[in-house]
Amino acid sequence: ILAQSANLKPDIYRHVEDEATILLTYTNGQGIIQASWNLPFSERSMQIYGNTGYVFAPEMDLLRFRLAGTPESELQLQNQTDPESQMDDISYLVAIARGEVKPSGPSSLQANLIATEILDAARKSIELRQPIHLPSNP
C-alpha cells in the first residue's frame, strides 16, 4: 500500500487533509482509492476493471457492466423485499446494536476489519512516506 494525502483547501479544512490517494498492489493487479472532500458536490462512485470486463457504479443504486464480446448493460439496484436496504444509517446501527439485524456484506465484521487494515496502512504510508506491506490474506 502506498498512499499520499494533501490539504488543498486549508481555509476550509485547517487541521486535516482533504484529499487522499491509496494505491493497493496485489499479486494479480492494482486498486486505486481516491477519497476527497475537495469536490464541488457529493459523489460516490466506483470502477472495477478485470481481465474480461468491467463494472461501474456511478451512483449508489446503479451498475453498468460489460463482459468481453458483449455490449454494456445497466442494472438499477432496488431491493424492496430486504428491510435492511430501506433503513437509514442510524436506524441500521440501532437495529444491529439491539440484535435485530446481523451485519452482512459491506457491513460485516470481516469487511470492516479489512477496510480498517487498509486505512491504517495508508495512514502509516503517508506518515512514513514509503510503501507499507501487508501480509497476504488467505
Short mmCIF file of all heavy atoms in Angstrom, two decimals, residues 88-131:
data_model
loop_
_atom_site.label_atom_id
_atom_site.label_comp_id
_atom_site.label_asym_id
_atom_site.label_seq_id
_atom_site.Cartn_x
_atom_site.Cartn_y
_atom_site.Cartn_z
N ASP A 88 -32.20 3.87 7.09
CA ASP A 88 -31.13 4.87 7.06
C ASP A 88 -30.01 4.36 7.95
O ASP A 88 -30.17 3.38 8.70
CB ASP A 88 -31.65 6.24 7.53
CG ASP A 88 -32.15 6.19 8.97
OD1 ASP A 88 -31.30 6.27 9.88
OD2 ASP A 88 -33.37 6.06 9.15
N ASP A 89 -28.85 4.99 7.88
CA ASP A 89 -27.66 4.51 8.58
C ASP A 89 -27.86 4.39 10.09
O ASP A 89 -27.43 3.42 10.71
CB ASP A 89 -26.46 5.41 8.29
CG ASP A 89 -26.03 5.36 6.84
OD1 ASP A 89 -26.40 4.40 6.14
OD2 ASP A 89 -25.33 6.29 6.40
N ILE A 90 -28.51 5.37 10.70
CA ILE A 90 -28.69 5.37 12.16
C ILE A 90 -29.64 4.25 12.57
O ILE A 90 -29.37 3.51 13.52
CB ILE A 90 -29.19 6.74 12.67
CG1 ILE A 90 -28.19 7.85 12.32
CG2 ILE A 90 -29.49 6.69 14.16
CD1 ILE A 90 -26.81 7.67 12.93
N SER A 91 -30.75 4.08 11.86
CA SER A 91 -31.69 3.01 12.18
C SER A 91 -31.03 1.65 12.03
O SER A 91 -31.28 0.73 12.82
CB SER A 91 -32.92 3.09 11.27
OG SER A 91 -33.60 4.30 11.47
N TYR A 92 -30.19 1.51 11.01
CA TYR A 92 -29.47 0.26 10.78
C TYR A 92 -28.52 -0.03 11.94
O TYR A 92 -28.48 -1.14 12.46
CB TYR A 92 -28.71 0.35 9.45
CG TYR A 92 -28.00 -0.92 9.03
CD1 TYR A 92 -28.70 -2.12 8.85
CD2 TYR A 92 -26.64 -0.92 8.78
CE1 TYR A 92 -28.05 -3.27 8.45
CE2 TYR A 92 -25.98 -2.06 8.37
CZ TYR A 92 -26.69 -3.25 8.21
OH TYR A 92 -26.05 -4.38 7.81
N LEU A 93 -27.78 0.99 12.41
CA LEU A 93 -26.88 0.82 13.54
C LEU A 93 -27.65 0.44 14.80
O LEU A 93 -27.23 -0.45 15.55
CB LEU A 93 -26.08 2.11 13.78
CG LEU A 93 -25.13 2.10 14.97
CD1 LEU A 93 -24.07 1.02 14.82
CD2 LEU A 93 -24.49 3.46 15.15
N VAL A 94 -28.78 1.08 15.05
CA VAL A 94 -29.61 0.76 16.22
C VAL A 94 -30.10 -0.68 16.13
O VAL A 94 -30.06 -1.42 17.12
CB VAL A 94 -30.79 1.76 16.34
CG1 VAL A 94 -31.80 1.29 17.37
CG2 VAL A 94 -30.28 3.15 16.68
N ALA A 95 -30.54 -1.11 14.95
CA ALA A 95 -31.03 -2.48 14.77
C ALA A 95 -29.91 -3.50 15.02
O ALA A 95 -30.15 -4.56 15.61
CB ALA A 95 -31.61 -2.66 13.37
N ILE A 96 -28.69 -3.18 14.61
CA ILE A 96 -27.55 -4.06 14.88
C ILE A 96 -27.28 -4.11 16.37
O ILE A 96 -27.10 -5.19 16.95
CB ILE A 96 -26.30 -3.59 14.11
CG1 ILE A 96 -26.48 -3.83 12.61
CG2 ILE A 96 -25.05 -4.31 14.62
CD1 ILE A 96 -25.41 -3.20 11.75
N ALA A 97 -27.26 -2.95 17.03
CA ALA A 97 -26.98 -2.88 18.47
C ALA A 97 -28.02 -3.65 19.27
O ALA A 97 -27.70 -4.27 20.28
CB ALA A 97 -26.92 -1.42 18.92
N ARG A 98 -29.26 -3.65 18.82
CA ARG A 98 -30.34 -4.37 19.51
C ARG A 98 -30.36 -5.85 19.16
O ARG A 98 -31.16 -6.60 19.71
CB ARG A 98 -31.69 -3.75 19.14
CG ARG A 98 -31.89 -2.38 19.73
CD ARG A 98 -33.23 -1.81 19.36
NE ARG A 98 -33.44 -0.54 20.02
CZ ARG A 98 -34.32 0.35 19.65
NH1 ARG A 98 -35.11 0.13 18.59
NH2 ARG A 98 -34.45 1.49 20.31
N GLY A 99 -29.53 -6.27 18.23
CA GLY A 99 -29.51 -7.66 17.81
C GLY A 99 -30.63 -8.03 16.86
O GLY A 99 -30.89 -9.21 16.63
N GLU A 100 -31.31 -7.04 16.30
CA GLU A 100 -32.42 -7.29 15.38
C GLU A 100 -31.94 -7.61 13.97
O GLU A 100 -32.65 -8.21 13.18
CB GLU A 100 -33.35 -6.07 15.34
CG GLU A 100 -33.97 -5.75 16.69
CD GLU A 100 -34.61 -4.38 16.74
OE1 GLU A 100 -34.48 -3.59 15.77
OE2 GLU A 100 -35.24 -4.07 17.76
N VAL A 101 -30.72 -7.16 13.65
CA VAL A 101 -30.15 -7.35 12.32
C VAL A 101 -28.70 -7.79 12.50
O VAL A 101 -28.00 -7.27 13.36
CB VAL A 101 -30.19 -6.02 11.52
CG1 VAL A 101 -29.42 -6.14 10.22
CG2 VAL A 101 -31.62 -5.59 11.26
N LYS A 102 -28.29 -8.77 11.70
CA LYS A 102 -26.89 -9.19 11.72
C LYS A 102 -26.20 -8.54 10.51
O LYS A 102 -26.66 -8.70 9.38
CB LYS A 102 -26.79 -10.70 11.64
CG LYS A 102 -25.35 -11.17 11.68
CD LYS A 102 -25.24 -12.66 11.75
CE LYS A 102 -23.77 -12.96 11.63
NZ LYS A 102 -23.32 -14.08 12.30
N PRO A 103 -25.11 -7.81 10.74
CA PRO A 103 -24.42 -7.15 9.62
C PRO A 103 -23.92 -8.18 8.61
O PRO A 103 -23.44 -9.24 8.98
CB PRO A 103 -23.25 -6.44 10.27
CG PRO A 103 -23.51 -6.46 11.73
CD PRO A 103 -24.45 -7.57 12.00
N SER A 104 -24.05 -7.85 7.33
CA SER A 104 -23.57 -8.73 6.28
C SER A 104 -23.02 -7.88 5.14
O SER A 104 -23.20 -6.66 5.12
CB SER A 104 -24.69 -9.64 5.78
OG SER A 104 -25.73 -8.85 5.22
N GLY A 105 -22.36 -8.51 4.20
CA GLY A 105 -21.83 -7.80 3.04
C GLY A 105 -20.86 -6.72 3.48
O GLY A 105 -20.00 -6.95 4.32
N PRO A 106 -21.00 -5.50 2.93
CA PRO A 106 -20.08 -4.42 3.27
C PRO A 106 -20.13 -4.02 4.74
O PRO A 106 -19.23 -3.39 5.24
CB PRO A 106 -20.54 -3.25 2.39
CG PRO A 106 -21.37 -3.86 1.32
CD PRO A 106 -21.94 -5.13 1.89
N SER A 107 -21.21 -4.39 5.44
CA SER A 107 -21.34 -4.05 6.86
C SER A 107 -20.77 -5.13 7.78
O SER A 107 -20.77 -4.95 8.99
CB SER A 107 -22.82 -3.85 7.22
OG SER A 107 -23.37 -2.80 6.46
N SER A 108 -20.32 -6.24 7.22
CA SER A 108 -19.85 -7.35 8.05
C SER A 108 -18.56 -6.99 8.79
O SER A 108 -17.80 -6.12 8.37
CB SER A 108 -19.62 -8.59 7.20
OG SER A 108 -18.47 -8.42 6.38
N LEU A 109 -18.32 -7.72 9.86
CA LEU A 109 -17.10 -7.51 10.63
C LEU A 109 -15.87 -7.78 9.77
O LEU A 109 -14.91 -7.00 9.80
CB LEU A 109 -17.09 -8.42 11.86
CG LEU A 109 -15.83 -8.37 12.73
CD1 LEU A 109 -15.60 -6.96 13.28
CD2 LEU A 109 -15.93 -9.39 13.85
N GLN A 110 -15.89 -8.85 8.99
CA GLN A 110 -14.74 -9.19 8.15
C GLN A 110 -14.42 -8.07 7.16
O GLN A 110 -13.27 -7.67 7.01
CB GLN A 110 -15.00 -10.49 7.40
CG GLN A 110 -13.82 -10.91 6.54
CD GLN A 110 -14.07 -12.20 5.78
OE1 GLN A 110 -15.15 -12.74 5.81
NE2 GLN A 110 -13.05 -12.68 5.09
N ALA A 111 -15.43 -7.53 6.49
CA ALA A 111 -15.21 -6.45 5.52
C ALA A 111 -14.65 -5.21 6.22
O ALA A 111 -13.75 -4.55 5.71
CB ALA A 111 -16.51 -6.11 4.80
N ASN A 112 -15.16 -4.91 7.40
CA ASN A 112 -14.69 -3.73 8.12
C ASN A 112 -13.28 -3.90 8.68
O ASN A 112 -12.52 -2.94 8.75
CB ASN A 112 -15.68 -3.35 9.22
CG ASN A 112 -16.86 -2.59 8.64
OD1 ASN A 112 -16.77 -1.40 8.42
ND2 ASN A 112 -17.94 -3.30 8.35
N LEU A 113 -12.92 -5.11 9.07
CA LEU A 113 -11.54 -5.36 9.52
C LEU A 113 -10.55 -5.17 8.38
O LEU A 113 -9.48 -4.58 8.56
CB LEU A 113 -11.42 -6.76 10.12
CG LEU A 113 -12.07 -6.95 11.49
CD1 LEU A 113 -12.02 -8.42 11.90
CD2 LEU A 113 -11.43 -6.07 12.54
N ILE A 114 -10.90 -5.65 7.19
CA ILE A 114 -10.03 -5.48 6.03
C ILE A 114 -9.91 -3.99 5.68
O ILE A 114 -8.81 -3.48 5.44
CB ILE A 114 -10.54 -6.28 4.83
CG1 ILE A 114 -10.40 -7.79 5.11
CG2 ILE A 114 -9.81 -5.91 3.54
CD1 ILE A 114 -11.13 -8.68 4.12
N ALA A 115 -11.03 -3.28 5.67
CA ALA A 115 -11.01 -1.84 5.37
C ALA A 115 -10.17 -1.08 6.39
O ALA A 115 -9.38 -0.20 6.03
CB ALA A 115 -12.43 -1.29 5.33
N THR A 116 -10.29 -1.44 7.67
CA THR A 116 -9.51 -0.79 8.71
C THR A 116 -8.02 -1.06 8.54
O THR A 116 -7.19 -0.16 8.72
CB THR A 116 -9.99 -1.25 10.10
OG1 THR A 116 -11.37 -0.90 10.24
CG2 THR A 116 -9.19 -0.61 11.22
N GLU A 117 -7.68 -2.29 8.18
CA GLU A 117 -6.28 -2.64 7.95
C GLU A 117 -5.70 -1.83 6.79
O GLU A 117 -4.58 -1.31 6.88
CB GLU A 117 -6.16 -4.14 7.65
CG GLU A 117 -4.75 -4.63 7.53
CD GLU A 117 -4.67 -6.13 7.31
OE1 GLU A 117 -5.55 -6.69 6.63
OE2 GLU A 117 -3.71 -6.74 7.81
N ILE A 118 -6.46 -1.67 5.72
CA ILE A 118 -6.01 -0.88 4.57
C ILE A 118 -5.85 0.58 4.96
O ILE A 118 -4.84 1.22 4.64
CB ILE A 118 -6.98 -1.04 3.39
CG1 ILE A 118 -6.88 -2.46 2.81
CG2 ILE A 118 -6.72 0.00 2.30
CD1 ILE A 118 -7.96 -2.81 1.81
N LEU A 119 -6.84 1.14 5.65
CA LEU A 119 -6.76 2.55 6.04
C LEU A 119 -5.62 2.81 7.02
O LEU A 119 -4.94 3.84 6.94
CB LEU A 119 -8.10 3.01 6.63
CG LEU A 119 -9.24 3.08 5.63
CD1 LEU A 119 -10.55 3.37 6.35
CD2 LEU A 119 -8.97 4.09 4.55
N ASP A 120 -5.38 1.89 7.95
CA ASP A 120 -4.28 2.06 8.89
C ASP A 120 -2.94 2.02 8.15
O ASP A 120 -2.05 2.82 8.43
CB ASP A 120 -4.34 0.98 9.97
CG ASP A 120 -3.31 1.22 11.06
OD1 ASP A 120 -3.25 2.35 11.59
OD2 ASP A 120 -2.56 0.28 11.39
N ALA A 121 -2.79 1.09 7.20
CA ALA A 121 -1.56 1.02 6.41
C ALA A 121 -1.39 2.28 5.57
O ALA A 121 -0.27 2.78 5.42
CB ALA A 121 -1.57 -0.22 5.52
N ALA A 122 -2.48 2.81 5.02
CA ALA A 122 -2.39 4.05 4.24
C ALA A 122 -1.94 5.21 5.12
O ALA A 122 -1.09 6.01 4.72
CB ALA A 122 -3.75 4.36 3.61
N ARG A 123 -2.48 5.29 6.34
CA ARG A 123 -2.07 6.35 7.27
C ARG A 123 -0.57 6.24 7.57
O ARG A 123 0.16 7.23 7.56
CB ARG A 123 -2.89 6.25 8.56
CG ARG A 123 -2.58 7.34 9.57
CD ARG A 123 -3.25 7.09 10.92
NE ARG A 123 -2.94 5.78 11.47
CZ ARG A 123 -1.77 5.46 12.06
NH1 ARG A 123 -0.82 6.35 12.16
NH2 ARG A 123 -1.57 4.25 12.55
N LYS A 124 -0.10 5.01 7.80
CA LYS A 124 1.33 4.81 8.07
C LYS A 124 2.17 5.16 6.85
O LYS A 124 3.25 5.75 6.98
CB LYS A 124 1.58 3.36 8.48
CG LYS A 124 1.10 3.03 9.86
CD LYS A 124 1.33 1.57 10.19
CE LYS A 124 0.72 1.23 11.54
NZ LYS A 124 0.75 -0.22 11.80
N SER A 125 1.69 4.82 5.66
CA SER A 125 2.41 5.13 4.43
C SER A 125 2.56 6.64 4.26
O SER A 125 3.62 7.14 3.89
CB SER A 125 1.69 4.54 3.22
OG SER A 125 2.30 4.94 2.02
N ILE A 126 1.50 7.37 4.55
CA ILE A 126 1.55 8.84 4.46
C ILE A 126 2.54 9.39 5.47
O ILE A 126 3.37 10.24 5.16
CB ILE A 126 0.14 9.44 4.66
CG1 ILE A 126 -0.76 9.09 3.47
CG2 ILE A 126 0.21 10.94 4.89
CD1 ILE A 126 -2.23 9.34 3.71
N GLU A 127 2.47 8.88 6.69
CA GLU A 127 3.35 9.36 7.76
C GLU A 127 4.82 9.06 7.47
O GLU A 127 5.68 9.92 7.63
CB GLU A 127 2.93 8.68 9.07
CG GLU A 127 3.74 9.09 10.28
CD GLU A 127 3.27 8.34 11.52
OE1 GLU A 127 2.04 8.28 11.76
OE2 GLU A 127 4.13 7.80 12.24
N LEU A 128 5.11 7.85 7.00
CA LEU A 128 6.49 7.43 6.76
C LEU A 128 6.98 7.75 5.34
O LEU A 128 8.18 7.63 5.06
CB LEU A 128 6.64 5.93 7.01
CG LEU A 128 6.30 5.45 8.42
CD1 LEU A 128 6.33 3.93 8.49
CD2 LEU A 128 7.25 6.07 9.43
N ARG A 129 6.07 8.13 4.47
CA ARG A 129 6.38 8.42 3.07
C ARG A 129 7.07 7.24 2.38
O ARG A 129 8.05 7.40 1.66
CB ARG A 129 7.22 9.68 2.95
CG ARG A 129 6.48 10.90 3.45
CD ARG A 129 7.33 12.12 3.37
NE ARG A 129 6.61 13.22 3.99
CZ ARG A 129 6.53 14.41 3.48
NH1 ARG A 129 7.10 14.70 2.35
NH2 ARG A 129 5.86 15.35 4.11
N GLN A 130 6.49 6.06 2.62
CA GLN A 130 7.00 4.86 1.98
C GLN A 130 5.90 3.80 1.92
O GLN A 130 4.92 3.90 2.67
CB GLN A 130 8.22 4.31 2.73
CG GLN A 130 7.92 3.83 4.13
CD GLN A 130 9.18 3.39 4.86
OE1 GLN A 130 10.26 3.88 4.59
NE2 GLN A 130 9.04 2.47 5.80
N PRO A 131 6.04 2.82 1.05
CA PRO A 131 5.03 1.76 0.97
C PRO A 131 4.97 0.94 2.26
O PRO A 131 5.97 0.77 2.95
CB PRO A 131 5.51 0.89 -0.19
CG PRO A 131 6.47 1.72 -0.95
CD PRO A 131 7.08 2.67 0.04
#
